[in-house]
Amino acid sequence: MAEDRNQDPQMDTEGLYQEDNFTDRKVGAIRRLSPVRADGSADPSRPVLFIGQAEIMTNMGPVPINFEIEAKTLADAVVGFAPAAQAAIERTVQQIQEMRRQQASQLVVPQGPMPNLTGGGGRGGKIQLP
């Protein structure tokens, strides 16, 4: 799908939305995507979409979170923001933990017997004087 977008950069005239942003300047933002026709007039045959935006702080800095909010109106989206954000944060935390597990499992383990690191022919870790 990404390849299709790169090869054909034409906008989809049947999938246009007008975007409005709302924020409380504390917790996050809500984007309202209202469907429009190519001439800019409203398209009532398609639903209005609400997308929530928030950030979570990690030890590597802020991570942006975007999530869809099931709502018919902006007021419903405001009420639905917190539960949708919580679910998105939980999914993101699980994804981060899974990526960490995958990275940890990629440790390189030497094959075969360990080389003799004592220098004493296998006599242990004692210091040998000449």
Side-chain angles (χ1 to χ4, degrees), residues 43-64:
D43 183 356
S45 68
R46 295 184 289 143
V48 173
L49 304 175
F50 293 94
I51 309 297
Q53 299 175 310
E55 287 184 343
I56 58 172
M57 291 302 295
T58 68
N59 58 353
M60 297 184 63
V63 174

Side-chain angles (χ1 to χ4, degrees), residues 11-18 34-38 43 46 49:
M11 289 194 70
D12 178 9
T13 58
E14 300 299 315
L16 295 175
Y17 285 86
Q18 179 177 339
S34 304
V36 295
R37 296 184 183 101
D43 183 356
R46 295 184 289 143
L49 304 175

Side-chain angles (χ1 to χ4, degrees), residues 118-121 123-130:
T118 63
R123 289 183 255 167
K126 298 180 182 175
I127 297 176
Q128 301 290 319
L129 298 175

Side-chain angles (χ1 to χ4, degrees), residues 96-117:
I96 290 171
Q97 289 172 343
E98 179 60 28
M99 288 187 329
R100 284 182 180 161
R101 278 192 289 275
Q102 289 175 0
Q103 288 295 320
S105 69
Q106 292 180 359
L107 294 175
V108 177
V109 178
Q111 299 297 318
M114 290 294 292
N116 183 359
L117 301 176

